[in-house]
Structures are given as structure tokens and as C-alpha cells.
Amino acid sequence: MPNVRLSDVAKLAGVSPKTVSNVVHGYVHVRESTRTKVQNAIDELGYRPNMRGRNLATGRTRMIALAFPDLRIPYFAELAHVIAEEASARGYRLLLEESGSTIEVERAILSAEEAGIVDGVLFQPSYLTSTEIAQHRRDVPVVLLGESIAPLSVDHVRIDNIAAAAQVVGHLAASGRRRIAFLCAEVPAPSETSKQRLIGYQQGLEACGLPVDPSLVVTGSVADADAACASLAAALDAGMAPDAVLCRDDLAALGALRALSERGLRVPADVAITGWDDITLASSMHPSLTSVRADGAQLARRALDLLLERIDGYDGLGRHEIVGHSLVVRESAPAAPAG
Amino acid sequence: MPNVRLSDVAKLAGVSPKTVSNVVHGYVHVRESTRTKVQNAIDELGYRPNMRGRNLATGRTRMIALAFPDLRIPYFAELAHVIAEEASARGYRLLLEESGSTIEVERAILSAEEAGIVDGVLFQPSYLTSTEIAQHRRDVPVVLLGESIAPLSVDHVRIDNIAAAAQVVGHLAASGRRRIAFLCAEVPAPSETSKQRLIGYQQGLEACGLPVDPSLVVTGSVADADAACASLAAALDAGMAPDAVLCRDDLAALGALRALSERGLRVPADVAITGWDDITLASSMHPSLTSVRADGAQLARRALDLLLERIDGYDGLGRHEIVGHSLVVRESAPAAPAG
DNA sequence: CTGAAAGCGCTTACAG
DNA sequence: CTGAAAGCGCTTACAG
């Protein structure tokens, strides 16, 4: 049986395609008897609208792409979930694009060979510079996510990393910690994300009257927990003796936990640790992880707000928005001074 | 500047739309001088093919949907990654559909109101019965993933859960464990996944000559690590004293780890634990987790093979395939008897 | 190797 | 409240 088209329904119901379209879209100004007639024809034929035709006629697909480094990183998977949920509430579906954190793929994302697949893209770059982003083809609306520097012309939603990092240091200092390490700054140069968190780290130390000791900044790869573990292990074995470690993300904190316990250091008794992102795992670990949590729902809401405005034709300057965050205090760095 | 269409290119190059289409698709039988002429026009106008037109004309979108419970569950995020990679290698993009493990959404996935969004769907149901799946609209090809029972008419790719569970028991028994618990069977009825792993668990015990003790089967929710932790904690507090715990998935193992260490039980010295899925986290935990690993690349490859064959018109009986798995041995349940 | 023409299945001003 | 007609931007037999 060939696919049923709108015109088949129209023929059977004895009306024009336009009227069927009106019924399908729930248009109110349709005579009740007409609506029933059409609906019966739809049911009888088992008609379902074909989106390919709709997409071509409307010039829209009601799909947006979410482009970020890697779905296997829990933060991004959880981000995708909350954005998918919000998008779905607005009648949009999500297409995933993993960049693998390679600049080539990031470029490809912004200058797609093909047009018309999605109505807009939410993009969290790792390497693309502000300049390059500013020069991308403007025919598909883009909203940037994350810590990279955004050009003035492009919308951007993020949390205040500097304030959050300072807040973490404040929390650790308030609980009696004095030698707070940072894990870790990428070599040869820290990522934009690490840079901002380092600035906040330093601001926090200064605000608390603690010395800023470069030897407490661990350098190394942040690729995964194992890399962070190795970096911290090397620093500890070289004599670094922190009483707290501010980790740049939860995976690094997981690695830190292992490096510390392998050396007989108890968390939080000997060393407190904090993570960042508050992935689901953070609350299930043992000890559970104190972590910085972005307001994911707000992030998703604002990002989609901005993107849909662009899709609807807004073409002004980039809006740069900051959404809320909080420090979720758990066992790994409790509020009270640890014994 | 309005969007450039294929016909604009044709006009500028002084050829027909057909010839431009040939060049765009790299069709070989195009005279070199014609190709150059067309390519120049494409470059000059900045033409990019519009997929909405293409999709309507071809009746394809080169997108497939991946439908499963929840992106926040690491196993599914990692599955999505490997499938996206394999799909991309074949020129397909991935659309995500989270069912939230609700039967209503699962139904909606199989009987989409709209047609023509994707060319096929890879679907891992939680609740839909074989009967219901068999009755779904056949206009979009479907391949099932996971442990649910598949109807004869539908393709299905999975690993051999029974054999894998028996293998885990064998491994634990070989390392000297005698009281091997199972964490956990859902109440009031275990999921199909748990059922199969329980069968393998029992087979493994019998094969090793160990008694099958129902009191070692912990019941409870498997929603997340915390639920598993609570279930095991309750069982331990009620007097259960296992020397190993076979966890139905890695998150349950994470919960088990906490329940055990909160009670002063060391892993693996006092109690060995094994997980299932071998999510990235498994190797970073402390202790690292012995876990069952499905051959994800093979799974993705076969699932896509079957789906693309359906998309290409294959309409025969369902193929039910089993892909490989392995037991990745790590610290939580090492091979040698633990002291 | 290339062209003219029809068609994919919708939507949307424009009329009435 | 409803219809006739054109158009969205491609592809694809069919000719030549």
C-alpha cells in the first residue's frame, strides 16, 4: 500500500488540500461538519503528515543541533538531556553533533556543507576562537554555550566561572583549609575554562587572605579521571601537601580521590576535594562530592529562548547571558571543619 | 541576500539543473570542462545544497533515531556515542529520543504521528511487549536493541546475558568466592534484563557446584546507585553476608561499593563486586570495577547493518543477532583469591 | 555526456 | 469558512 498523501484525504473527504491542512493543524475556523468529514477520511486512510513535504514548504525542520565535544563525558550527556527536554517542550527535536574536541570538526559544524537540516544550533566549542566564530556563515542561527570567549555578534549563555571558583575557595577556607590546590591546568596552555576557574581560584584565595602559591597549581591533562589522578599523584609524590583540592571538574575529582586514597590520605579528614558540574555520579560516589552545579534548567531555557528568537528573525547584537549556579556541599568537602 | 538555489547555479553556469546535480554528487560521467564551469558557479554564488529539497525528492533524510530510556544513564550515553560514530561513517546522522522508560513514550516512538523524519529507528524498549512491538506501523524500519523479547518479525541485536552472567559467577567462584549475591531484582517483577542475568547467575552457581540461595538475591529498585546502595544496605543489615556481589549494572555496583564500605567491609578483600556495562567510570573508580563489557563497536555495526538493509528494502523475517562480550577484570574482583 | 519536464508532499497568499 | 494554483528546492526517469 502506497503512502497516503494529504491530497488523498482531500479527495476522499471531498474538500481541498487547504482544508485538510487546516484540520491537521487544528486551525479553529473550520466548520464542525467539515472537520468531522476530514477527520474521518484521515482515520480511514491512516493518513500521517509527511514531514519532508512540510519541511520544504515551510522552510523549517523544527530540529536544532546540539554540538559539543563528546557524549561520553557525563556533563555533556546530562546537558543534552536537559536541553532535549526543554526543546521537546517547544516542539523541537535534538540532533547530536560530537566535535571530538577537534578544531576541524568544530569548523565543519559552523560551516556545514549542507543547509536546511536544522533550524539552529547550540554550540559549545573547545578550540574555535572568537574571531573564527564571528566569521561563520550567518544563515543558520547559533547560540554559544560554555566558557569560550564569544564574539559580540553571537549569543552566549554560561555561568560565572570566576565567581563560582572564588566561592569554592571561600567554602574551603571557611571550613579551615589553608593549602588549597588546583587540579589541574592543561599544558602547555590552560583551556579557557581552566583559565577562568584559575582566576576565580586566585581571587578566592586573595579574598580569604590566603597566600597564592603557584606550586599548588597542578598541571596536566584533563582528558579523563585517570589523567587527573596521575597528575595529582605526581605532584603529591613530589612533595605537594595540600589540605584541599579544587578540581576543575567532577571527573578530575574522581581521579583525585583515587590518588589521595592510594597514598593513605583520607577525604575529607586529611584533604577536602571539590568537583565541578555536579554530574549524577557526584552524589553517588563515596565520599559524595561537593561540586559546583550550573542551573541546567535555566541554562537550557535561556539558550533555547535566544536561539528561537534568532530563528524567528531577530538579527541584533549578541546577547551574553549568565545563568545561576550553586555549590552543592556534600561529604568530600563539608561545611564544618573536618576532624 | 536570498538563498542560492541549484537552479541559480545552473543559470550562471549555462547548464541544466540535472548537470549541476551531477556535479554536486560527484557523478563521474561529467565532462571536465563542464564540471569546472559548474564548480566555478557554485563557488561564486556560495551555493550549498538544501537538504529539505533533497529529502523530499529522494524520500530519505539520512537520519536515524536512537530511542532509549535516558541519556543521563552512562551506558546509554556511551551507546549513543558509538552508534553516532558508526552512523556518521555511513553518512547518517542521529536523532535522540528519550523514552524516560515510560510505556506511553515507547508507544509514541513506534507509532509516530508524523512520517518522514527519519529513515529508520534503533530502539531499546524497557516495557513494550513483544506483541505490541510486532504490531507497530511498518512504514519505518526498526531494529531492537537490548534484552527485551523481540517479535519474530523484527530485527534484534543483543549480547548473551545468560552466558555473561554465568561467566561472572564462574570468575568469582574461581577466585574463591562462595556466597555470591545478586544485586538486584526489581520488585514486584524483575525486568527482562534482570531476569536473564538471574538465569545466568543461577546457571553459573550450578555449574560451579555452589548452592542457589534465594536469600542472596537482593530485591529493590535499580533506578540509580543510591537505590541499589539502599537495597544492599538493608540486606546486609538484615544479616546477609556475601563474599561477592554480582551487580546488574555498574551504577548498582557503585551503590554496592558505598553500602559495603559504610559497613567496614573492604572491596575486594572481604567482598568482591562486579558491575555490568563497563562504563567509562568503571575503570576510574577506586577500586576499579570488574565489569561485563558488550562489544559496542560490533553492536553498533550490526545494528546499523540490519537497519540499513531494512531501509534498502529488505522485508524478510527478523534477524536476531548476538554480539560479543567480555569480562573486564579489575580491582573490585580480581582473578587471584583475595587475601 | 546533457537537457526538459514532471514530481516528491506539503503550505500559503490570494480570492471568493 | 473554503478552493485553485503556485511554489518550496531538489531528483529522476526519459530522451537524445
Side-chain angles (χ1 to χ4, degrees):
Chain A
M1 153 176 67
N3 278 324
V4 181
R5 291 155 307 168
L6 184 142
S7 61
D8 300 325
V9 174
K11 201 168 303 167
L12 179 61
V15 299
S16 78
K18 170 77 189 314
T19 302
V20 178
S21 182
N22 283 159
V23 172
V24 166
H25 287 91
Y27 184 58
V28 284
H29 298 299
V30 178
R31 200 189 306 155
E32 202 43 55
S33 64
T34 309
R35 182 187 305 284
T36 310
K37 203 166 52 178
V38 171
Q39 190 57 55
N40 288 342
I42 288 175
D43 295 342
E44 184 175 337
L45 296 173
Y47 170 72
R48 292 185 305 162
N50 181 314
M51 300 312 279
R52 284 180 240 106
R54 181 126 103 202
N55 291 344
L56 180 57
T58 60
R60 295 280 164 82
T61 60
R62 295 198 79 84
M63 297 209 308
I64 65 177
L66 175 60
F68 55 49
D70 195 322
L71 207 39
R72 292 170 300 183
I73 296 173
Y75 173 72
F76 289 118
E78 296 180 17
L79 178 68
H81 171 84
V82 55
I83 290 183
E85 212 165 36
E86 184 69 27
S88 164
R90 301 169 188 228
Y92 280 81
R93 298 177 133 89
L94 219 57
L95 199 65
L96 283 189
E97 305 231 43
E98 296 174 272
S99 70
S101 285
T102 63
I103 196 162
E104 295 79 16
V105 180
E106 290 193 349
R107 280 207 188 97
I109 284 166
L110 278 194
S111 56
E113 279 302 299
E114 303 129 341
I117 295 174
V118 295
D119 296 343
V121 9
L122 254 26
F123 180 33
Q124 175 142 355
S126 301
Y127 292 119
L128 235 44
T129 64
S130 181
T131 322
E132 251 188 297
I133 293 172
Q135 290 161 350
H136 85 278
R137 310 191 60 133
R138 300 304 307 272
D139 41 10
V140 50
V142 171
V143 171
L144 296 175
L145 267 25
E147 275 40 88
S148 66
I149 298 167
L152 287 172
S153 54
V154 182
D155 298 327
H156 188 198
V157 181
R158 61 181 178 91
I159 67 166
D160 187 340
N161 274 259
I162 296 175
Q167 184 179 347
V168 174
V169 171
H171 168 77
L172 291 169
S175 69
R177 311 292 172 167
R178 288 296 168 264
R179 296 185 49 74
I180 302 171
F182 184 94
L183 180 71
C184 51
E186 297 92 331
V187 277
S191 63
E192 195 52 42
T193 303
S194 292
K195 263 187 211 162
Q196 294 190 28
R197 294 178 188 174
L198 271 167
I199 293 173
Y201 163 76
Q202 177 162 6
Q203 283 186 2
L205 291 174
E206 287 165 355
C208 297
L210 292 174
V212 176
D213 180 353
S215 75
L216 285 172
V217 176
V218 180
T219 54
S221 159
V222 297
D224 53 36
D226 295 343
C229 177
S231 301
L232 180 58
L236 292 171
D237 293 343
M240 184 183 77
D243 59 9
V245 183
L246 187 167
C247 304
R248 79 181 291 283
D249 57 43
D250 289 344
L251 294 183
L254 188 64
L257 193 57
R258 167 180 274 267
L260 292 167
S261 48
E262 280 178 348
R263 280 156 188 75
L265 295 165
R266 293 162 302 161
V267 175
D270 300 318
V271 182
I273 65 179
T274 64
W276 198 296
D277 291 339
D278 193 32
I279 60 179
T280 301
L281 164 71
S283 64
S284 307
M285 288 173 46
H286 185 58
S288 59
L289 197 60
T290 292
S291 190
V292 172
R293 174 179 189 74
D295 184 339
Q298 195 194 355
L299 178 63
R301 217 178 310 118
R302 290 307 297 149
L304 254 359
D305 283 347
L306 298 181
L307 189 61
L308 297 199
E309 284 173 30
R310 292 275 176 197
I311 291 173
D312 285 346
Y314 172 80
D315 197 28
L317 267 187
R319 283 83 46 98
H320 290 196
E321 298 208 358
I322 292 188
V323 298
H325 69 266
S326 54
L327 179 62
V328 183
V329 177
R330 299 200 187 87
E331 296 163 350
S332 73
Chain B
M1 154 177 66
N3 277 325
V4 182
R5 291 155 306 166
L6 183 142
S7 62
D8 299 325
V9 175
K11 202 169 299 168
L12 179 62
V15 300
S16 77
K18 169 77 187 316
T19 302
V20 177
S21 182
N22 283 158
V23 172
V24 166
H25 287 91
Y27 184 59
V28 283
H29 298 299
V30 177
R31 201 190 303 155
E32 201 44 55
S33 63
T34 310
R35 182 186 305 284
T36 310
K37 204 166 51 181
V38 172
Q39 190 58 54
N40 288 343
I42 287 175
D43 295 343
E44 184 175 336
L45 296 173
Y47 169 72
R48 291 187 305 162
N50 181 314
M51 300 313 278
R52 284 181 240 104
R54 182 126 100 201
N55 291 344
L56 181 57
T58 60
R60 295 283 163 81
T61 60
R62 296 199 77 86
M63 297 208 310
I64 65 179
L66 176 59
F68 54 48
D70 195 321
L71 208 38
R72 293 170 300 182
I73 296 174
Y75 173 72
F76 289 119
E78 297 182 16
L79 178 68
H81 171 84
V82 56
I83 290 183
E85 211 165 36
E86 183 69 28
S88 162
R90 302 171 187 225
Y92 280 80
R93 298 177 135 89
L94 220 56
L95 199 64
L96 283 190
E97 305 231 45
E98 296 175 271
S99 69
S101 286
T102 63
I103 196 161
E104 295 77 16
V105 180
E106 290 193 348
R107 279 205 190 101
I109 284 166
L110 278 195
S111 55
E113 280 301 300
E114 304 129 340
I117 295 175
V118 296
D119 296 343
V121 10
L122 256 26
F123 180 32
Q124 174 144 355
S126 299
Y127 292 119
L128 235 44
T129 64
S130 179
T131 321
E132 248 188 300
I133 293 171
Q135 290 161 349
H136 86 278
R137 311 189 59 131
R138 300 305 306 274
D139 42 9
V140 52
V142 171
V143 171
L144 296 176
L145 267 25
E147 277 37 88
S148 67
I149 298 168
L152 287 171
S153 54
V154 182
D155 299 325
H156 187 199
V157 182
R158 60 181 180 92
I159 67 164
D160 187 338
N161 274 259
I162 296 176
Q167 184 180 348
V168 173
V169 171
H171 169 77
L172 292 169
S175 70
R177 310 292 171 169
R178 289 296 169 263
R179 295 186 50 75
I180 303 170
F182 184 95
L183 180 72
C184 52
E186 298 92 331
V187 278
S191 64
E192 195 52 41
T193 302
S194 291
K195 263 186 213 164
Q196 294 190 28
R197 293 178 189 174
L198 271 167
I199 293 173
Y201 163 76
Q202 177 162 6
Q203 284 187 2
L205 291 175
E206 287 164 357
C208 297
L210 292 175
V212 176
D213 180 353
S215 74
L216 285 171
V217 175
V218 181
T219 54
S221 159
V222 297
D224 54 33
D226 295 343
C229 177
S231 300
L232 180 58
L236 292 172
D237 293 345
M240 185 182 75
D243 59 9
V245 183
L246 187 167
C247 304
R248 80 180 290 284
D249 59 43
D250 290 345
L251 294 183
L254 188 64
L257 194 57
R258 166 179 275 266
L260 291 167
S261 48
E262 280 178 348
R263 279 155 190 77
L265 295 165
R266 293 162 303 160
V267 175
D270 301 317
V271 182
I273 64 178
T274 65
W276 199 296
D277 291 339
D278 193 32
I279 61 180
T280 301
L281 162 72
S283 64
S284 306
M285 289 171 46
H286 186 57
S288 59
L289 196 59
T290 293
S291 189
V292 172
R293 174 179 188 74
D295 183 339
Q298 196 193 352
L299 178 64
R301 216 178 308 120
R302 291 307 296 149
L304 254 0
D305 284 346
L306 298 182
L307 189 61
L308 298 199
E309 283 172 29
R310 291 273 176 200
I311 292 172
D312 285 347
Y314 173 80
D315 198 27
L317 267 188
R319 283 81 49 96
H320 289 195
E321 297 208 0
I322 292 189
V323 298
H325 69 266
S326 54
L327 179 63
V328 183
V329 177
R330 298 200 186 87
E331 296 163 351
S332 74

